[in-house]
Every structure is written in C-alpha cells, then in structure tokens.
C-alpha cells in the first residue's frame, strides 16, 4: 500500500503533520464581512451576531485563506493531493476538537487531550497489544485506545465533578501524568506498528476519500446531532450556561460533567488511532500541544469559553482554517515560528471581535 | 441612655432631604429625610424592602441618588465615589464583612491605605497603629498579626470597625451588626459603640431587634416603602407599639385572589418532619395539603430560603425527612425531588433559576426533557409547541419562545420559571420570593396564577419578605425567627403588625 504516503504525499505536508494547526482564522473572517460591508457596519454586525452569520464569517475566512494559498503557491496548493493532505491533518486534531467543544460548552476545559492521546497511542501499540491484535483482530488496538481515552476522561470527570478540583488543575495533572505514563510504557521509544490489517483499515480510501477524513466527518456529524438534537446536548448547554440553575432544575450536574470528560476522552482515543495509522507509530510525544490547538479551534469557531454556547460547525471550520493556514505557510517556506506568531494574532483578534459582538447583542 | 453633649452647640452632622433613587420599574427611595447628629446612635427602622439598604448605599456612594440633597457638616456634598464618601469620614460596615481572611488584622485594617514608605510596607508601624485603634475600641487583646480568618465573627466585626476608624470616621453605619453575635458579644459591641459616640462619632444603627434599639439607640427614623414616615423620634419616648404601627400599612394595595374555605383542602401532600440543617435552622415540621398555600414569614437570614432548599434537596439536611404523597424523598438529591413532583422557583431568579442567554423554551422544558425525547433525541417542534401553549396561557410578553429569556422583564421571567413547573405538572411547588423584582401589574397576575395552581391541587409553600404578600396569598402562615418556627396560624387570624412583631423578636407584650 502506498497508504503510508499519507505522510509524504505532499512535500510540504510532512512538517505541518506534527502540528496540525488549529489556530483561529475566524477573526479574519469576522473582520472581512465588516470591511466589505463598507458603511453598513451595523448590518454586518447584525448578520455576524446570528449563528449563521458567524459561520458565514468562518466560511469567508477559510475562502480567503484558500485564495491566498492559490495566489502564493498556485498549483501546489490547489492540488487534490494537497487538499487531501490538509484534510488528513485536520482530521486528527478535528476529532479532539469536537470532544473539546463538548467540554467547553459544558463549562469546563480539558488540558490533557494531547497527553491522553499519547497514552492511548502508546497503549494500543505496545508489543503485547500488537501481538494480541495480530492473533485475534486489529479491533483489539481500537478497543485499547478507546478504553484508555475513556478511562482517563473518567478520572478527570470524577476528580472535577465529585472531587471538587477545578477543571484546569485536574486536567493539568492528567496532562503531566498521562504523558509520563506513556513514556514509561513505551520506554520513550517510538513503537512502530506491525499490524497490517490495522493500517489497511485506517489508511484506506472510500470513494477516493481517505478513511481518516471520513472518521472526522462521522465524528463531527454525530457530535452535531448530539449537541443540537439530544437531551445530552441540551443538558450540556444548560450545565455550561448556569450550573446552579441546571442543578435546581433537576439536572444531575455532577454526573453530566463526568460524562462530558468521558466524551472528550473517547475522542482522544479515536484521534490516537488516527494518528497511529497516519504515522504508523505510537509514541509518547504524539499530540504534543494538541490541547492548545484544540482550544484555539473551538474558541475561534464561536464556542463560548465560559460555557453555555457551542457550535460544532464552528469548530470544524476553526480546525480547517488553522490547518489550511499551516499548509499555506509551509508551501511558502515560512517557518513554524512565523506560523505560531500569526496563529496567536488570529486568536486574539477573533476573541476580541467576538466580545465586541457579544456585548453589543446584550445591550 | 447616653445624652447628647454635642447637639446643643452644632447643627446636625448629616442631613439628607428628599432622597430619591429609582431602579428600572421600581422607586426604591421616594423621598427620604434623615438627620444625624454627632455623637448619637441613630436607629434606622423599617421592614424588608423599606429602603434601608438602598439608603445606606447612597450614603456610602455605592449608589448615586436620582434626587435630593445631602448636607454634610454644614455644606452640600455630592457623594460620587466610595472613596469620596470615605474621605468625608463616612464608613459602612455591612452584614457580610468585607475582610480578607488570609491577611492579618493589621493588613486588613490598613487595606487600601497601607502604611508604607517608598512603596515598602512598614509592618511594625502598621501593627503599632492597629494596636492603638483596637485599644481605642476596647479590644486590645486582638493581636494585629493574627490572620483575620482565625478570629470569631465578633472579633472580625471589631476589626472592621478599627478599619473604619483608621479612616478618621465621623459617621459609622452599622448594618445589622448584632445578627451574628451572641448576647455577651452584643454587650461588648454596645460598649464599643458608646466609646465611639463619646468621642463624637455618629452611628447609624440598623437592626430588626427592637429590644436592642431600646438599649443602644438615641433617636429613630422609620422608613416605609422608600419614604421617611417618622424621623427624630426619641427612643425613650416612643412605645414599641407605635413603631410597629409606623412600619406597617402599605401605600400600594395588592389584589389577592380569593381563598378557598379552610376545610376544602385535600390529603397531605408534602410532609416535612424534624428537618434541620445544623447552624441554619432546626426541627422544622410542616404539612401542606393538596390545594393549600403555606406561607413562611421571617426576616432575610432567618432561614426561610434554606428551609425551602432543604425540602427540595438542594441543601443536605443534617436530620429530618421529607415525604411527598407518602413517599420519602432521598435527602439532598434535587433530581429525585423533581422526579417525585417537587418544583422550586429560587430566590435569585437570574443566577439560580434561569439560563439567561438561552431561549425561553429551553428554560421551560429543561426539567421536562424526557417527555420530548425518544431514545435521547429531542423533538424540538413538540418542545416549542408546548412551551408556546404555556407562554400564551400565562401571557408572557413579549411572545416568542425563541427569544433569549434575558430580554424579558422580571415578571415575565418569573412566569417562565413557573411555566417550567406547570409543564412538569408538579405536586409540590416551593416559591422563594416569587414577586421580587416584579412590577405591580405583573404581581397580581402571579398571585392569581399561584392560587389557580393551588386550586388544581398543588401543595404550595411561599417564602416572602413582604408580610403583606404572605398574609394575602397564603392560607396558613408559619413565622420563622433565627432558624426556628416560632408561630403558626391561619392567615385570616393574623394581621401585619402581629406578624411583624413575631418576626422581630416579640418585643410587644
């Protein structure tokens, strides 16, 4: 299979692969409609305030980014292989970001996503696991990764909901210990996977679309449905919007909080499998700084960091914007450092803009 | 009683004339006059909501008045910032002491105006000055270097007063200072107050304990409905009966729906037995029948809200049981109570009751989601439709269930909370201050709604700071004082002054 080509399909893609960028491109977006609106700034604001408007802003931002990509890198950017590379890179961090959207919407934060991902990647690729996978079925690896992710999420959730530890600290502790445990398990060595069936399953294509991308699409669709169309989603919004009111309305806030962290943990498990498949390795260094990329994507997507409002569509755009940004920068031979600076700027501008809009809509 | 040595020579230290303070939809102060002399203890009396707190917030510049004049020491002043008020020598000590627990006594006393030179704090200087202030208050035994968090509430209060003195205070406002103190501590407090007045400091003293006012007060001003109804009353010349009379009787008459005959109630629905939360309230027994409205009267802080919360399971009781229709509720479990058919409209509607940025229908269906879900999937159309029916029936304005509830007025927000429990068809409804922040017109609607729920067989408990509301709405009234139910009677056998007397510690013979 030249599935391994995932990593090398585009010359420029290899570097960004390590840091599928998730940074906010939204601010650009948001600023854009305003600028084009010219004198009708107020009308622009009104549109932006609506959820459709916010997403429109994200679409415009992504579109602009693509224009920049085509202008500066021409065919190297507007190439099917390159687009697929962007999507494959976006897929892993995208799945993590969907989970993060739930936790943040529910009023929490999870700093340990990258570490959980690393631990799940290592645990599912130990010699023992791989041996069992070869003997029984490659699904053994899948189960291992999901169980590790959900387990870590459960620990986070219990500590936060019943232990009363603030999410920042509880998940910070998990960040440290999960990655440490991953290092111990792997002895700090990169674990090459040797389960052909697993690699085939994950690195294949369906109708020309990489399986990894399909997994991302599936997770996003399920995430959207759960957040917008189920009691779980509604309760998530309520718990994040006003935990005390939610409690007094009869929602079991503690139990729900635990479930939210299990959800994000599961997403990390899925993402771990995707990363293992893409890199054909499990490693304690996988997913480094994913927490920041995921939070950034969620925030520029329009999810309220203080909870109570969340948008899966926004998050997907946030992820795509950051990944595309990285790709464009890499194609233009700009350093990772420059990318980081721009990402930071984008986050700040996005949040400033959102705050302006939010304060206007309240008055 | 202390006699005024300063009064003859000088004019009043403070006089306030026609002070007006408006809040959206409410006239909190509608023309208050107050005159305080140096060296006197001036008591401010009035029911909950009479405007005492608003008035002292105007004095400490936490609020800006919309009208009226303030004369301080002979000259008209406008108190624009708390710092300006402090600069004149006005200090306020609130019920909730604003001390920093982890800082030392001296650090707290000089918080904001630290003793320093060139940016470096001078600890020994500060400690010495703090000790001097504490000794002036007769409490030299409090060490300036102790963390405030390790002190008793009484000692913390002394620290607050020392802080006020450190600002060269000429007028000290004490808001229910005795609420957290035992008898011995109250005597101590009075000694401190007398030390201060002997030095010419004026004290505005707010308390609901008429007995105390007799002991410490020189003159009294009575507020009712945001107006001064009597001022400059000499304590020794004014019978308690007169004071109660001044505080009662309302200028606005609310219309209450008619009660049903007393023998017309159904079976007991809510049964509370020996319910206690240690340190808050003890051994509450309460039975509410189907169709009955029971009112809990009492001062803010008497434990009324806590009783409701404990019944609801939002607060874990130390002892006691709650049963609904004969089945015992799991204690401290809100979700279980809700499933058993209990609903609560909390005191703080915005922070405890509503998801402010969520649409109206989310707020209504939040406790009834199971009804609209199949396999976890919500039927949004059905949700909206049922919510719409309720908002139409309750005349929630503006109409539209997709509107964020934040944009509604207080009365309409309360209707939304009530609609939540209407949708749930609950059997027991606990209402905490159901008309707080609700304008006069909407009040009547809410009263009618509450009564109609009772007529459908719901057992209702109402807590209100407004005695008139409890009397007008409830069939039976329980009076709570300092965590104990001290009296129970049918509402028709009570009048406002009787309840006020019960609530304020029975000072009328």
């Amino acid at each position: 299979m030249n599935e391994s080509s995932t990593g090398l399909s585009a010359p420029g893609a290899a570097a960004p692969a390590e840091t599928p960028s998730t940074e906010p491109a939204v601010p650009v977006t948001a600023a854009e409609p305003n600028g084009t609106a010219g004198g009708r700034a107020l009308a622009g604001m009104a549109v932006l305030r609506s959820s459709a408007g916010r997403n429109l802003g994200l679409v415009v931002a992504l579109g602009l980014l693509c224009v920049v990509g085509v202008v500066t890198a021409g065919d190297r950017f507007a190439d099917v292989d390159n687009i697929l590379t962007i999507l494959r890179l976006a897929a892993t961090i995208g799945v993590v970001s969907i989970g993060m959207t739930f936790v943040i919407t529910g009023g929490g934060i999870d700093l340990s996503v990258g570490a959980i991902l690393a631990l799940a990647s290592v645990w599912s690729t130990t010699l023992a696991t791989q041996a069992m996978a070869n003997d029984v079925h490659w699904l053994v690896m899948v189960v291992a990764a999901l169980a590790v992710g959900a387990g870590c999420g459960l620990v986070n959730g219990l500590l936060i909901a019943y232990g009363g530890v603030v999410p920042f600290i509880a998940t910070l502790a998990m960040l440290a210990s999960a990655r440490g445990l991953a290092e111990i398990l792997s002895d700090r060595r990169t674990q090459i996977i040797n389960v052909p069936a697993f690699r085939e399953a994950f690195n294949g294509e369906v109708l020309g679309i990489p399986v990894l991308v399909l997994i991302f699409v599936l997770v996003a669709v399920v995430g959207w449905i759960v957040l917008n169309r189920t009691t779980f989603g509604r309760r998530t919004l309520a718990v994040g919007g006003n935990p005390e009111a939610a409690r007094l309305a009869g929602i079991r806030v503690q139990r729900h909080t635990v479930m939210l962290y299990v959800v994000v943990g599961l997403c990390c498990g899925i993402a771990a499998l995707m990363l293992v498949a893409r890199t054909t390795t499990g490693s304690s260094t996988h997913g480094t700084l994913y927490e920041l990329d995921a939070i950034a994507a969620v925030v520029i997507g329009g999810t309220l960091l203080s909870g109570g409002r969340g948008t899966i569509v926004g998050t997907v755009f946030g992820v795509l914007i950051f990944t595309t940004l990285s790709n464009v920068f890499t194609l233009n031979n700009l350093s990772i450092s420059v990318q980081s600076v721009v990402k930071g700027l984008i986050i700040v501008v996005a949040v400033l803009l959102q705050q302006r809009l939010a304060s206007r809509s309240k008055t | 009683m202390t006699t005024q040595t300063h009064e003859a020579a000088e004019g009043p230290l403070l006089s306030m004339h026609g002070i007006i303070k408006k809040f959206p939809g409410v006239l909190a102060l509608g023309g208050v006059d107050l005159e305080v002399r140096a060296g006197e203890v001036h008591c401010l009396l009035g029911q909950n909501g009479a405007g005492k707190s608003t008035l002292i917030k105007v004095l400490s510049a936490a609020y800006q008045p919309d009208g009226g004049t303030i004369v301080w020491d002979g000259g008209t002043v406008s108190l624009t910032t708390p710092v300006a008020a402090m600069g004149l020598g006005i200090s306020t000590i609130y019920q909730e002491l604003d001390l920093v627990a982890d800082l030392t006594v001296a650090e707290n006393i000089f918080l904001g105006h630290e003793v320093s030179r060139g940016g470096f704090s001078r600890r020994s200087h500060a400690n010495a000055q703090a000790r001097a202030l504490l000794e002036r208050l007769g409490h030299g035994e409090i060490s300036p270097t102790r963390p405030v968090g390790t002190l008793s509430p009484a000692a913390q209060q002394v620290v607050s007063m020392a802080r006020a003195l450190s600002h060269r205070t000429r007028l000290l406002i004490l808001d229910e200072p005795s609420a957290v103190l035992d008898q011995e501590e109250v005597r101590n407090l009075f000694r401190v107050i007398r030390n201060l007045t002997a030095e010419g400091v004026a004290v505005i003293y707010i308390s609901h304990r008429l007995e105390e006012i007799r002991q410490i007060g020189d003159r009294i001003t009575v507020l009712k409905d945001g107006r001064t109804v009597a001022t400059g009353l000499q304590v020794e010349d004014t019978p308690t009966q007169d004071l109660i009379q001044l505080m009662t009787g309302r200028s606005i008459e609310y219309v209450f729906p008619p009660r049903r005959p007393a023998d017309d109630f159904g079976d007991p629905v809510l049964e509370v037995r020996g319910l206690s939360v240690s340190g808050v309230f003890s051994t509450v027994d309460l039975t509410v029948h189907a169709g009955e409205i029971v009112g809990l009267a009492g001062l803010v802080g008497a434990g009324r809200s806590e009783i409701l919360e404990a019944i609801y399971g939002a607060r874990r009781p130390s002892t006691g049981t709650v049963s609904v229709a004969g089945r015992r509720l799991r204690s401290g479990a809100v979700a279980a109570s809700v499933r058993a058919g209990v609903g609560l409209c909390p005191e703080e509607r915005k922070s405890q009751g509503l998801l402010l940025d969520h649409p109206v229908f989310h707020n209504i269906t939040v406790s009834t989601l199971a009804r609209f879900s199949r396999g976890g999937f919500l039927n949004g159309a059905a949700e909206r439709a049922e919510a719409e029916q309720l908002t139409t029936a309750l005349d929630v304005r503006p109409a539209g269930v997709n509107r964020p509830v934040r944009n509604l007025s207080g009365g309409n927000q309360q209707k939304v909370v009530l609609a939540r429990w209407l949708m749930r068809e609950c059997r027991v409804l606990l209402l905490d201050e159901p008309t707080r922040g609700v304008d006069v017109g909407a009040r009547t609607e809410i009263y009618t709604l509450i009564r109609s729920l009772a007529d459908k067989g719901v057992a209702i408990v109402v807590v209100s700071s407004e005695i008139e509301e409890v009397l007008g709405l409830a069939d039976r009234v329980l009076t709570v004082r300092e965590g104990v139910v001290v009296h129970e009677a049918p509402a028709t056998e009570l009048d406002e002054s009787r309840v006020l007397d019960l609530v304020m510690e029975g000072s009328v013979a």
Side-chain angles (χ1 to χ4, degrees):
Chain A
M1 316 261 97
N2 54 355
E3 297 318 325
S4 53
S5 68
T6 357
L8 35 129
S9 60
E18 249 341 275
T19 41
S21 58
T22 0
E23 300 303 326
V26 176
V28 176
T29 357
E32 197 46 33
N34 258 347
T36 50
R40 294 178 305 158
L42 274 182
M45 284 295 186
V47 171
L48 278 173
R49 232 176 283 140
S50 68
S51 68
R54 268 197 303 272
N55 288 337
L56 184 70
L58 293 165
V59 173
V60 171
L62 186 58
L64 272 179
L65 215 47
C66 291
V67 170
V68 172
V70 171
V71 169
T72 58
D75 287 346
R76 284 185 301 139
F77 178 82
D79 173 78
V80 174
D81 274 349
N82 186 49
I83 301 298
L84 287 182
T85 302
I86 292 176
L87 290 178
R88 257 191 296 255
L89 292 178
T92 317
I93 189 70
V95 168
V96 173
S97 302
I98 299 292
M100 187 70 88
T101 306
F102 275 89
V103 174
I104 291 180
T105 304
I109 191 96
D110 191 344
L111 301 181
S112 62
V113 286
I116 294 176
L117 189 152
L119 181 58
S121 82
V122 167
W123 206 310
S124 60
T125 54
T126 56
L127 287 178
T129 317
Q130 292 201 39
M132 201 193 289
N134 275 326
D135 286 350
V136 185
H137 196 276
W138 58 267
L139 279 174
V140 168
M141 292 173 66
V142 174
V143 171
L146 296 185
V148 168
C152 291
L154 183 67
V155 171
N156 276 338
L158 290 173
L159 276 175
I160 291 161
Y162 294 98
V165 184
V166 296
F168 191 96
I169 298 301
T171 59
L172 188 64
M174 179 59 76
L175 182 160
S177 32
R179 203 171 285 283
L181 190 54
E183 286 171 5
I184 294 170
L185 267 183
S186 65
D187 205 13
R188 294 189 181 220
R189 272 189 280 248
T190 300
Q191 301 175 156
I192 312 282
I193 56 164
N194 196 16
V195 183
F198 174 85
R199 288 164 53 178
E200 279 167 36
F202 274 84
N203 286 329
E205 292 183 355
V206 174
L207 302 174
I209 303 169
V211 167
L212 291 181
V213 175
L214 288 176
I215 294 175
F216 176 34
V217 171
L218 189 69
V219 169
V221 168
V222 170
W224 187 90
I225 292 171
V226 169
L227 189 62
N228 295 292
R229 290 285 182 268
T230 67
T231 52
F232 183 87
R234 183 66 60 75
R235 291 192 181 122
T236 303
L237 292 170
V239 168
N242 186 344
E244 176 67 359
R247 183 177 81 100
L248 292 179
I251 293 175
R252 274 166 282 202
V253 174
Q254 291 172 318
R255 202 175 74 171
H256 194 84
T257 303
V258 173
M259 289 197 280
L260 286 175
Y261 285 92
V262 171
V263 165
V264 71
L266 268 177
C267 286
C268 292
I270 298 172
L273 292 166
M274 295 162 74
L275 197 56
V276 165
R278 202 179 74 210
T279 60
T280 67
T281 60
S283 160
S284 61
T285 61
H286 275 341
T288 307
L289 294 186
Y290 266 32
E291 56 280 356
L292 298 187
D293 287 339
I295 293 168
V298 169
V299 167
I300 71 158
T303 295
L304 221 52
L305 200 52
S306 53
R309 191 184 76 206
T311 155
I312 296 288
V313 176
T315 297
V316 170
F317 273 106
V319 170
L320 289 178
I321 283 166
F322 281 133
T323 316
T324 309
L325 187 79
S326 278
N327 182 264
V328 171
F329 273 52
T330 309
L331 291 181
N332 285 295
N333 294 322
L334 290 165
S335 70
I336 301 270
S337 314
V338 179
Q339 288 181 34
S340 300
V341 173
V342 173
K343 274 192 197 175
L345 286 176
I346 288 174
I347 296 173
V348 170
V349 174
V351 171
L352 282 176
L353 258 170
Q354 283 178 7
Q355 282 171 351
R356 294 298 130 83
L357 296 175
S359 66
R360 264 167 215 245
S361 66
K362 263 177 199 168
T363 48
Chain B
M1 305 294 111
T2 33
T3 46
Q4 276 64 64
T5 46
H6 304 257
E7 73 184 271
E10 308 147 21
L13 176 65
L14 166 79
S15 38
M16 306 176 84
H17 296 292
I19 301 294
I20 291 171
K21 176 69 195 170
K22 295 174 193 154
F23 293 110
V26 189
L27 187 62
L29 297 178
V32 169
D33 301 323
L34 177 68
E35 203 178 274
V36 183
R37 297 172 189 152
E40 76 165 334
V41 177
H42 197 107
C43 297
L44 206 51
L45 266 180
Q47 291 199 48
N48 292 327
K52 297 175 308 234
S53 309
T54 312
L55 184 65
I56 63 173
K57 282 190 175 151
V58 167
L59 257 183
S60 54
Y63 292 156
Q64 294 302 308
D66 298 309
T69 55
I70 302 174
V71 179
W72 175 259
D73 207 9
T76 307
V77 292
S78 62
L79 303 170
T80 45
T81 64
V83 176
M86 234 180 259
L88 291 177
I90 301 175
S91 294
T92 308
I93 297 178
Y94 292 101
Q95 240 169 321
E96 307 292 328
L97 299 174
D98 45 356
L99 298 172
V100 185
D102 291 330
L103 294 185
T104 67
V105 167
E107 284 164 343
N108 266 286
I109 290 176
F110 296 107
L111 200 62
H113 59 126
E114 289 81 3
V115 182
S116 65
R117 179 176 289 168
F120 291 94
S121 61
R122 308 177 66 195
R123 193 168 293 232
S124 57
H125 252 258
N127 288 343
Q129 287 183 30
R131 184 166 292 119
L133 288 169
L134 292 165
E135 271 163 14
R136 208 173 129 199
L137 291 169
H139 281 277
E141 82 284 359
I142 299 175
S143 162
T145 55
R146 243 176 100 172
V148 155
T150 65
L151 298 174
S152 72
Q156 294 190 8
Q157 201 170 54
V158 172
V159 173
S160 285
M161 282 198 240
R163 181 199 275 182
L165 286 186
S166 75
H167 289 282
R168 280 195 297 272
T169 292
R170 299 177 65 193
L171 171 64
L172 183 63
I173 304 167
L174 298 171
D175 187 3
E176 296 220 43
S178 60
V180 292
L181 308 182
D182 63 29
Q183 281 193 345
E184 179 55 32
E185 291 168 334
V186 170
R187 269 196 290 278
N188 239 315
L189 170 70
F190 287 177
R191 207 164 51 228
V192 171
I193 292 177
R194 293 219 178 83
N195 282 347
L196 291 174
T197 52
E199 293 175 18
V201 174
V203 173
I204 294 181
Y205 189 93
I206 298 173
S207 174
H208 287 291
R209 300 176 176 175
L210 297 176
E211 219 34 57
E212 282 177 18
I213 288 170
R214 294 237 160 264
Q215 285 176 39
I216 191 71
D218 295 313
R219 297 193 306 157
I220 299 174
T221 291
V222 182
L223 299 185
K224 188 175 72 183
D225 294 339
R227 286 171 215 277
T228 302
V229 289
T231 185
L233 302 172
Q234 295 292 331
V235 165
E236 56 266 43
D237 303 340
T238 317
T240 303
Q241 197 60 60
D242 290 7
L243 289 175
I244 298 249
Q245 205 122 53
L246 284 166
M247 283 188 275
T248 54
R250 199 171 264 280
S251 39
I252 309 160
E253 291 293 326
Y254 297 123
V255 182
F256 293 99
R259 297 189 176 85
R260 59 161 84 187
D263 52 4
D264 198 23
F265 301 127
D267 296 330
V269 177
L270 175 68
E271 288 168 288
V272 178
R273 293 291 170 261
L275 196 67
S276 304
V277 170
S278 48
V280 185
F281 65 87
S282 56
T283 48
V284 171
D285 290 299
L286 172 67
T287 303
V288 189
H289 302 83
E292 187 183 24
I293 302 179
V294 169
L296 292 185
L299 296 171
V300 172
R304 308 161 315 181
S305 301
E306 290 81 359
I307 293 173
L308 285 197
E309 286 170 13
I311 293 173
Y312 190 54
R315 189 180 276 268
R316 193 176 286 280
S318 31
T319 58
T321 62
V322 178
S323 309
V324 172
R327 295 184 62 182
R328 223 180 117 169
L329 296 185
R330 198 146 60 83
S331 72
V334 171
S337 304
V338 170
R339 272 199 308 276
V342 188
L344 170 76
C345 296
E347 180 179 15
E348 300 292 336
R349 197 158 44 236
K350 290 186 180 177
S351 64
Q352 301 180 300
L354 293 167
L355 307 161
L356 281 177
D357 291 316
H358 289 217
V360 166
F361 81 95
H362 277 202
N363 278 281
I364 294 178
T365 59
V366 67
S367 299
T368 325
L369 288 177
R371 185 196 298 180
F372 301 103
S373 79
R374 182 169 295 170
F377 287 89
L378 282 171
N379 182 344
E383 251 189 288
R384 281 189 181 80
E386 281 206 36
E388 192 121 30
Q389 274 180 11
L390 278 170
T391 54
T392 309
L394 301 185
D395 197 22
V396 174
R397 287 177 204 200
V401 292
N402 292 322
R403 206 178 283 277
V405 79
R406 180 188 290 282
N407 298 346
L408 269 50
S409 69
N412 285 297
Q413 288 182 349
Q414 187 67 297
K415 287 184 194 170
V416 169
V417 180
L418 282 165
R420 176 187 302 165
W421 301 118
L422 275 178
M423 178 171 272
R424 194 130 192 130
E425 289 161 359
C426 57
R427 287 188 279 190
V428 176
L429 195 51
L430 310 169
L431 306 169
D432 199 350
E433 302 281 3
T435 60
R436 171 176 292 182
V438 173
D439 63 53
V440 180
R443 272 173 186 243
T444 311
E445 288 181 70
I446 286 175
Y447 294 147
T448 311
L449 176 61
I450 293 170
R451 177 53 72 181
S452 73
L453 282 169
D455 288 341
K456 283 181 198 143
V458 180
I460 296 175
V461 183
V462 178
V463 160
S464 174
S465 298
E466 295 180 36
I467 293 170
E468 198 199 351
E469 180 169 288
V470 176
L471 286 177
L473 194 56
D475 298 300
R476 192 153 48 93
V477 176
L478 274 63
T479 306
V480 186
R481 191 170 65 221
E482 290 170 15
V484 179
V485 176
V486 293
H487 187 262
E488 178 175 348
T492 46
E493 292 174 14
L494 293 165
D495 62 19
E496 205 182 340
S497 53
R498 173 79 180 121
V499 176
L500 187 61
D501 185 36
L502 285 164
V503 152
M504 291 178 118
E505 196 136 285
S507 37
V508 175

